[in-house]
């Protein structure tokens, strides 16, 4: 016998997960994504936080507030952390030189990519970051496929294209699709690439948001979140917000 209870829509379940496990800014973003709040409520939540400028700026961008005055302050804070070589310090030091470089590439792509999606970042900041990323580009770095550099190069070059963009993004697109088709990358990880690029389609791949959105529904866990249930709650909240952004068609 079929279950007579109405099925709870995937975005509603995702919002409930974020409500249970997320920070104030996460809860506000989730509410906006399902039409239960206005973007300014995200700005209010961000204003009440300290630290984590990158996470706060992501939250503002999710709801189209890249030009908000709070974004300007967060951009300035992030720009002050840029190193002399154009990179941004990774979240943690790697156990060896190659791992540390990989972490710096990943973090630099994320920071520069988010800065580029605001009207406040200095062109010199973005050019220096792009020069660092370009100096360490190679096809071998993204082949495998290898998720972190694919995401990093997409994040930066989709919003701040350079002479490297045509070659690098074609390779990244092909490797992203290969990872998705072969099951190496799950739907939530692929969704993050589209969200971080504020795009419905990407170079190098026919894969788009229209195909990805139903795959996310299939990948949603029983508790409404995304990612392994034994993963840190913060990681699962971030992945769940990515899914909500894709489903809503939101962002700037």
């Amino acid at each position: 016998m079929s279950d007579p209870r109405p099925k709870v829509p995937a975005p509603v379940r995702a919002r409930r997960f974020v409500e249970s496990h997320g920070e104030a800014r996460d809860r506000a973003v989730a509410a906006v994504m399902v039409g239960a709040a206005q973007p300014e409520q995200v700005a209010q939540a961000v204003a009440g936080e300290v630290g984590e400028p990158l996470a706060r700026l992501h939250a503002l961008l999710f709801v189209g507030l890249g030009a908000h005055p709070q974004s300007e302050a967060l951009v300035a804070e992030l720009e002050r952390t840029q190193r002399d070589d154009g990179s941004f310090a990774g979240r943690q030091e790697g156990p060896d030189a190659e791992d540390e470089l990989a972490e710096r590439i990943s973090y630099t792509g994320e920071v520069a990519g988010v800065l580029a999606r605001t009207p406040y970042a200095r062109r010199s900041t973005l050019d220096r970051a792009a020069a660092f990323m370009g100096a360490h580009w190679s096809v071998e770095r993204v082949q495998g496929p290898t998720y972190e550099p694919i995401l990093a190069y997409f994040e930066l070059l989709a919003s701040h294209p350079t002479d490297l963009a045509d070659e690098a993004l074609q390779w990244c697109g092909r490797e992203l699709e290969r990872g998705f088709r072969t099951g190496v990358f799950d739907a939530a990880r692929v969704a993050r690439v589209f969200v971080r690029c504020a795009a419905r389609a990407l170079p190098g791949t026919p894969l788009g948001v229209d195909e990805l959105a139903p795959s996310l529904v299939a990948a949603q866990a029983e508790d409404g979140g995304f990612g392994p249930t034994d993963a840190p709650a913060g990681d699962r909240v971030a992945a769940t917000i990515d899914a909500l952004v894709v489903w809503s068609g939101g962002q700037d």
Side-chain angles (χ1 to χ4, degrees), residues 1-2 10 27 43 54 80 147 183 200 213 245:
M1 181 181 294
S2 61
R27 298 193 296 271
L54 183 57
R80 288 193 291 270
Y147 179 77
R200 297 188 63 82
V245 174

Side-chain angles (χ1 to χ4, degrees), residues 98-122:
E98 182 55 35
D99 285 343
E100 182 177 345
L101 175 59
E103 173 63 24
R104 287 172 63 198
I105 289 170
S106 176
Y107 191 64
T108 298
E110 181 180 0
V111 174
V114 78
L115 292 177
R117 289 174 53 205
T118 77
Y120 303 119
R122 295 192 298 263

